[in-house]
Every structure is written in structure tokens, then in C-alpha cells.
Amino acid sequence: MSTAQGGAGNSLFARLKSGLNFSFGQAGGCVGLSIGASSIKVAEVKKIKDSWALTKYASVSLPELSTDSREIINTVTIVRAIQTAMQNAKISSKEVCSAIVGSGIIVKNLSLVIENMKDLQDQVFWEAEQYIPFDISEVVIDYQVMGKGKDNQVEVILIAVKKAFLEQYMGVIEEAKLVPKIMDAELFALQNTFECNYAVSKTESMLLADIGAMSTKIVICSGGNPLLVKDAAFGGTMITQEIQRELNLPSLNDAEALKVSGNLPHEVSEIVARLGHVLGTELKKSIDFYTASSLGPPIAGILLSGGGSRAAHLSRIIEEYTQLPTQLMNPFQKVTSESKDFTEQYLSSIAAEVVIPLGLAIRAGDKT
Ligand SMILES: Nc1ncnc2c1ncn2[C@@H]1O[C@H](COP(=O)(O)OP(=O)(O)OP(=O)(O)O)[C@@H](O)[C@H]1O
Ligand SMILES: [Mg+2]
């Protein structure tokens, strides 16, 4: 598999799956299912030579509190929303590639000094115990070596997933009568969509940030490799809650409607801009760490996605914090679409939110 076509984290979850007797189905349609905090999104893709085409897509909003810290607390609502999304998109394939997000998954860059590579696994597991806030027996751990430097330095990406979360996510997918063929990390789906649409360079890197409702997925990648990854626990909901509180509105839904209306009173646009300041500070921290640790080539720019990236003036605020050119990711730069229902206007209306489900669908396609 070529790295330019979504090779991120390719084998990363192999052990994770085998450790749980994960059963692979037959090759089927390439469907990505994103169980987001605010909506369920499904995308189907088709491979055309070396590129991809989006053939089907739908999203279904979730009511408040279907998940809490990403633990699924309202299974029935999520199962129904998955089924509705599959019906609305007219997807008949049953096999999906989905992912775990938020606090159920820990993805961490480790920089280790290893005298003898035979000791790598022991050291990774030892380090993992320092970082993982749960009992080690409750998690499945996997890792991938990203590079080797001077003085026996080895760069590793560690992934730990809480078994209970994995079972919960796979459980709702199965209850929706689907087969969770691959469970990935949304961080890698983000990178997949980027690599299928933009030239992949080894001499410079790119910072990707997908701003969801509850979490922001951050990846700095170069040459097909994720060099720094982070799942930060903030997103658009934080702003919606602040709007509700400060304007004393009766419900979160009122605050959400006001926020996305595009016609914002001055006091609301100030609150919305706070997301930019939180994100700007977070990205600056990641960039400084990346640069100080010499993790890879210089960062050429930032691409934003996720529903939160629609917030007014966000790119400008991020540019001010990071001094890097910042744009919205265009998931249809190379990926085409194959449906008469997908007008240009429709594609641009889904561009921010389609990035993760599209990356998951491509991952499913790469495996078939
Ligand atoms: N025009 C807009 N301005 C500001 N925020 C917006 C706008 N449109 C959508 N959002 C925000 O985007 C968020 C939803 O984005 P997205 O669908 O990417 O999240 P999700 O996938 O459900 O969540 P997560 O990725 O955290 O699981 C919500 O918080 C919503 O308020
Ligand atoms: Mg999301």
C-alpha cells in the first residue's frame, strides 16, 4: 500500500484487533462511520485508479448527552442514528471502518533511548504505564516505530485503547446490524484525507487540526508519517455552553442555533472567537514542542477541518498565534464525487465534517 494513499497507522491496530479476536469480514464496500459527539456521519467511497470518489454520504445529528466524556450513555439513540444515517445515505454494505475518539483512546509520541532494539517492547510498555491513567489490564496497547535518531534515540507512537470503550463502540455498531471491520483512530483518518488530496512532501510537514464538538484532533505529518499526534479535549460544544451561560439562554440547542446562524450579535462573535484563542494556544504549544524536539521538517502550514472550523475568522486567529499560513482543508481537491446529488454547493456544505468519515472510508477501501 502506498503511503500517499492513506498509509497512516496502517499496522498500528493489528495487534489491537487480534488481541480481541477481532473478526475480519469479506471485502465489501468502503464505508467509513464516524461516531461523533454531535452527529453520526457515514461516507462511502470507490477507488478509481489511484484516486478516490465519494459515492454516498449522510449525517444525522445527535441530541444532547448521547455521549459523556465519549462514553456512550445513550446506546439506543446512537444505534438509531447510525441506522438512519445508513438509510439516508442509501448504503447497503454492512461492513464499516469506524474509530474511537476522545478519552477512550490515548495516542502519545514517545522519544526513547534504546541500547538494544530487543528491549523496545518492554520499554514502551513500561513508559505506557506512566502515561495511562487506568489499570494497564484494562487497556490494549499498540505502538509503531516512527524513526531512529542519533544516540540510540527511537521515536515511537503509542496507542492505548480502553477495552471497555472498544467493546462499547463495537457494540453499538453491531446493534445497528453492521460489521465493525476495522476500528481505527480518527487522527489517522484525518491524515488519510489530507494525503489523498494534497502533495505529500518529505522536506516539509503539515499541521492538521479537526475541530469537532468535544475534541480536536491534531496531527503534524510529513512524507506519509504522523510525527506528532494529539487528541485535545475541547471543541465547539465548549463555546455553545459559554454562549448559553453568558446570554442566559434556556437550552444548549438555542445557543447552538444562534452560534451557527452566521448572523452573530457582537457579544456572541466574541465568545466564538474564544475557540480560536484556545486552539491557537494549543497549536502553538504543539508546534513549539515539535520544533524543540526536532521531530521532523519545518511546518509549511495549517489545514483546519471539522464543524468547529466553520467559526468565523478562525483561520486568521490561528495565523496570528502560529505565524503559519492557515486554511480550511479541501477534501475534494483530488477526491472526486460520483453522484448526481452531489452538487458543488452540497460538497462545499459538507466539506468540513466529511473529512473524518471520508478518511475512515478510504482506510476501509485500502484494506480491501
Ligand atoms: N457555522 C459554525 N460556526 C461555529 N461552529 C460550528 C458551525 N457549524 C458547526 N459548528 C460546530 O461544529 C461542531 C460539530 O462538528 P463535528 O461534526 O465535526 O463534530 P463531531 O464529529 O460531532 O464531534 P467530535 O469530533 O468531537 O466527536 C459543533 O460543536 C458545532 O457547534
Ligand atoms: Mg468528529
Side-chain angles (χ1 to χ4, degrees), residues 7-267:
N10 184 24
S11 61
L12 218 49
F13 269 42
R15 277 164 18 92
L16 171 68
K17 288 161 198 151
S18 58
L20 284 152
N21 294 325
F22 196 93
S23 63
F24 280 90
Q26 292 298 306
C30 314
V31 181
L33 162 65
S34 171
I35 302 178
S38 69
S39 67
I40 300 292
K41 306 169 193 74
V42 291
E44 189 185 81
V45 295
K46 186 167 123 184
K47 195 158 196 180
I48 301 175
K49 289 190 185 149
D50 287 336
S51 187
W52 297 92
L54 179 74
T55 48
K56 288 167 185 171
Y57 179 74
S59 78
V60 171
S61 296
L62 291 169
E64 292 168 30
L65 284 178
S66 300
T67 63
D68 181 19
S69 303
R70 310 326 302 269
E71 213 157 327
I72 295 176
I73 57 175
N74 193 342
T75 308
V76 178
T77 308
I78 297 208
V79 170
R80 258 194 224 132
I82 294 174
Q83 289 174 324
T84 309
M86 294 293 280
Q87 276 158 17
N88 290 356
K90 300 193 178 73
I91 296 174
S92 53
S93 168
K94 297 290 171 213
E95 293 175 342
V96 298
C97 172
S98 191
I100 300 162
V101 275
S103 59
I105 181 163
I106 293 167
V107 187
K108 199 153 180 60
N109 292 78
L110 300 177
S111 190
L112 307 172
V113 177
I114 309 277
E115 301 280 334
N116 187 335
M117 285 303 275
K118 273 208 316 252
D119 302 332
L120 179 66
Q121 177 157 322
D122 284 350
Q123 195 153 340
V124 170
F125 278 52
W126 186 85
E127 292 275 342
E129 292 201 33
Q130 322 301 309
Y131 290 112
I132 296 167
F134 335 106
D135 192 317
I136 205 88
S137 65
E138 292 172 24
V139 293
V140 186
I141 296 172
D142 204 355
Y143 63 91
Q144 183 149 305
V145 174
M146 300 314 301
K148 292 177 189 164
K150 294 193 292 257
D151 304 327
N152 299 325
Q153 193 168 324
V154 182
E155 302 297 333
V156 170
I157 289 190
L158 167 78
I159 286 200
V161 179
K162 240 180 143 174
K163 282 179 195 162
F165 264 69
L166 189 60
E167 280 157 15
Q168 220 180 30
Y169 274 72
M170 286 169 64
V172 287
I173 296 170
E174 280 162 355
E175 264 189 65
K177 306 269 181 291
L178 300 174
V179 181
K181 193 178 165 198
I182 301 171
M183 293 300 283
D184 204 345
E186 292 210 336
L187 286 157
F188 301 133
L190 172 60
Q191 191 184 339
N192 275 350
T193 300
F194 163 68
E195 287 170 1
C196 291
N197 282 288
Y198 292 81
V200 176
S201 162
K202 280 189 175 156
T203 54
E204 52 189 31
S205 60
M206 205 60 162
L207 190 155
L208 318 173
D210 184 278
I211 311 142
M214 294 287 280
S215 75
T216 294
K217 278 88 29 203
I218 301 166
V219 181
I220 301 179
C221 57
S222 173
N225 291 322
L227 301 172
L228 186 133
V229 288
K230 188 159 189 184
D231 200 324
F234 65 83
T237 300
M238 192 182 79
I239 299 304
T240 312
Q241 284 165 340
E242 281 189 37
I243 294 173
Q244 187 196 2
R245 198 168 47 237
E246 290 195 23
L247 302 190
N248 221 351
L249 297 173
S251 78
L252 259 192
N253 287 343
D254 293 312
E256 177 70 21
L258 182 63
K259 184 177 84 169
V260 303
S261 68
N263 188 10
L264 304 179
H266 179 66
E267 68 263 40

